[in-house]
Amino acid sequence: MAGAGLIEVLVAVLLLAIGGLSVALAQATALRRTQGAMLSTTAAHASSSLADAMRANHQAVLDGAYNTTGELCAATGGPGSNLAQQDLRRWVEALAAGMDARAAVCGSVDCQAGTCQLTVSWDDARAAGREGASRTSMVLGIAP
């Protein structure tokens, strides 16, 4: 049968192309998920550093010096501010430095009765594979 070999070659090329596209799609998905994991790891590391600083400054925690009024999305405090404000400023700077600028990372601290809740939120739409206002939050409870 004339032309049967050509049809077999075309089918093989089609299957190879579909397989190649599938591998490329899997790679793109893996890269996006890796980006999301990196953002979560950055938030955990920076928050762990703040928790250590809060443990070292226990009286300020009890006095409510680490409590934020809402989310901190930019560095606060300066060289003349108290230690708690400097710790918070370093925390927000570490979050911003470790994350993509498009992540729009923010954090807040709420301490009550010696137990604190650190919340970090960021735009994770890129890691999820879509554009939009998809925000991811990480909440860490600590007892300094």
Side-chain angles (χ1 to χ4, degrees), residues 11-100:
V11 169
V13 169
L14 177 66
L15 290 175
L16 187 62
I18 291 172
L21 288 174
S22 298
V23 168
L25 180 61
Q27 180 68 21
T29 301
L31 287 173
R32 281 195 311 270
R33 303 228 176 182
T34 301
Q35 173 73 17
M38 185 196 70
L39 296 177
S40 295
T41 301
T42 299
H45 281 280
S47 298
S48 175
S49 294
L50 178 62
D52 289 341
M54 292 171 72
R55 286 185 191 98
N57 196 3
H58 186 69
Q59 188 57 47
V61 172
L62 295 176
D63 294 341
Y66 283 93
N67 289 344
T68 61
T69 54
E71 290 187 319
L72 301 175
C73 297
T76 60
S81 60
N82 64 32
L83 182 59
Q85 292 302 311
Q86 291 176 17
D87 289 341
L88 289 170
R89 178 184 38 118
R90 280 191 294 270
W91 176 51
V92 172
E93 287 174 352
L95 288 170
M99 294 191 178
D100 187 352

